[in-house]
């Protein structure tokens, strides 16, 4: 058991860390609500809530965020499904050639986007997939699935092997074990993967800037264009940044407990 001094020290450290995190966020929010172009803080009665409406209208966030939502949802669904299948195969079934295949999968996590962006662009242009949502979805899946398989493999390997042995003796096949047995047991890890996948896809700027333009630009690219036009209006730039960050923040607030439990999943093994 921890002593009072240790608990007090823990609270002090957590309080300091919370202040370090919340102060910049609070300053950013106050700048977004300021009627001053410089974003100087003002009293509550003078808050300019219309800054968010102005940023939404002038940046064209209605279309851009719709595109980002479509891309993010498709990538998350695809990544979770493929990660479950791949993670279960490597973590429970033990596929043939796992010692060779799994490092190849991990290689996808080690290659930086900048190293392959040029050949990837020309290949997708040849296939007619540039400036198209299927193209950017496919790229994000290729970038994210290796981590998803690695993540779910670790979650599946933390489950008791006796559970699957008993199910196999009862006549359950691999699909039934994955659907009815394994998936419910690793639900926290799935929730964490969903949140991470959505966050990474939503925040993507580089790939969207290269492969999408015009009506297909994402929220992050639209924010970059908007900030380029209003570079001297700190309040509107801050308001636009908050609008783009709001979906990720809201998702994290909803899933924060599941996210933490998912991060800790696998710490205790049989």
């Amino acid at each position: 058991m921890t002593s009072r001094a240790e608990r007090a020290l823990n609270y002090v450290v957590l309080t300091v860390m919370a202040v370090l995190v919340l102060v910049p966020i609070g300053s950013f929010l106050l700048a977004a609500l300021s009627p001053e172009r410089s974003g100087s803080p003002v009293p509550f009665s003078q808050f300019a809530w219309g800054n968010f409406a102005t940023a939404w209208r002038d940046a064209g966030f209605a279309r851009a965020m719709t595109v980002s939502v479509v891309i993010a949802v498709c990538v998350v669904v695809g990544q979770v499904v493929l990660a479950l299948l791949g993670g279960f195969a490597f973590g429970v079934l033990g596929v043939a050639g796992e010692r060779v295949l799994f490092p190849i999968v991990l290689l996808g996590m080690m290659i930086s986007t900048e190293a392959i962006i040029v050949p990837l662009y020309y290949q997708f242009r040849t296939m007619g997939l540039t400036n198209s949502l299927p193209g950017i979805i496919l790229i994000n899946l290729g970038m994210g699935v290796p981590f998803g398989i690695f993540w779910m493999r670790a979650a599946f390997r933390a489950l008791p092997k006796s559970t699957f042995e008993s199910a196999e003796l009862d006549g359950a096949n691999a699909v039934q074990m994955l659907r009815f047995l394994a998936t419910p047991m690793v639900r926290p890890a799935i929730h964490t993967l969903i949140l991470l996948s959505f966050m990474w896809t939503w925040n993507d700027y580089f790939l969207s800037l290269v492969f999408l333009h015009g009506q297909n630009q994402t929220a992050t690219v639209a924010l970059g264009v908007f900030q380029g036009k209003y570079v001297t209006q700190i309040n509107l730039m801050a308001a636009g940044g908050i609008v783009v960050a709001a979906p990720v923040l809201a998702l994290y607030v909803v899933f924060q407990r599941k996210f933490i439990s998912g991060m800790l999943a696998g710490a205790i093994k049989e």
Side-chain angles (χ1 to χ4, degrees):
M1 296 181 64
T2 58
S3 64
R4 287 187 176 182
E6 290 175 327
R7 288 198 298 268
L9 180 61
N10 290 337
Y11 281 118
V12 170
V13 172
L14 291 174
T15 301
V16 171
M17 295 300 296
V19 170
L20 292 176
V21 171
L22 293 177
V23 167
I25 295 176
S27 301
F28 196 71
L29 181 59
L30 289 176
L33 292 171
S34 174
E36 305 291 336
R37 296 168 64 96
S38 61
S40 301
V42 296
F44 178 81
S45 59
Q46 299 180 24
F47 279 177
W49 298 96
N51 288 346
F52 296 103
T54 302
W56 180 274
R57 182 186 65 251
D58 293 354
F61 280 139
R63 169 68 182 177
M65 294 190 75
T66 300
V67 172
S68 288
V69 168
V70 172
I71 294 173
V73 170
C74 292
V75 170
V76 168
V77 172
Q79 182 175 349
V80 169
V81 171
L82 294 176
L84 282 172
L85 295 175
F88 187 74
F90 284 118
V92 177
L93 299 182
V95 297
E98 177 182 355
R99 294 186 177 182
V100 176
L101 293 176
F102 189 65
I104 293 176
V105 172
L106 294 182
L107 187 63
M109 298 171 55
M110 305 174 190
I111 301 176
S112 65
T113 306
E114 292 78 6
I116 62 173
I117 189 66
V118 174
L120 190 64
Y121 176 81
Y122 283 107
Q123 183 178 10
F124 271 60
R125 189 178 68 174
T126 303
M127 299 168 61
L129 291 175
T130 55
N131 196 31
S132 68
L133 298 190
I136 196 68
I137 290 170
L138 184 61
I139 295 172
N140 278 287
L141 279 175
M143 296 292 182
V145 166
F147 171 79
I149 293 177
F150 169 77
W151 180 260
M152 294 311 306
R153 174 182 177 268
F156 285 128
R157 285 174 65 90
L159 300 178
K161 292 184 179 181
S162 58
T163 304
F164 300 103
E165 293 172 355
S166 300
E168 190 173 4
L169 290 175
D170 290 338
N173 56 38
V175 176
Q176 291 172 330
M177 287 191 291
L178 172 61
R179 180 180 178 183
F180 300 108
L181 187 62
T183 300
M185 296 174 69
V186 296
R187 194 166 294 167
I190 295 175
H191 290 151
T192 302
L193 180 61
I194 290 173
L195 184 58
L196 291 174
S197 177
F198 183 88
M199 179 182 65
W200 291 336
T201 306
W202 183 270
N203 290 335
D204 169 65
Y205 178 81
F206 184 52
L207 290 174
S208 300
L209 179 65
V210 173
F211 286 91
L212 300 177
H213 55 82
Q215 293 296 313
N216 287 331
Q217 69 179 5
T218 59
T220 52
V221 176
L223 177 62
V225 175
F226 174 75
Q227 290 180 339
K229 294 179 180 178
Y230 293 88
V231 66
T232 60
Q233 293 185 246
I234 306 300
N235 55 347
L236 292 182
M237 291 173 58
I242 291 176
V243 168
V244 173
V248 175
L249 294 175
L251 196 66
Y252 179 77
V253 169
V254 173
F255 288 100
Q256 60 175 328
R257 291 185 179 274
K258 296 178 180 179
F259 176 78
I260 295 173
S261 62
M263 293 294 292
L264 296 177
I268 301 177
K269 300 184 66 174
E270 183 185 33

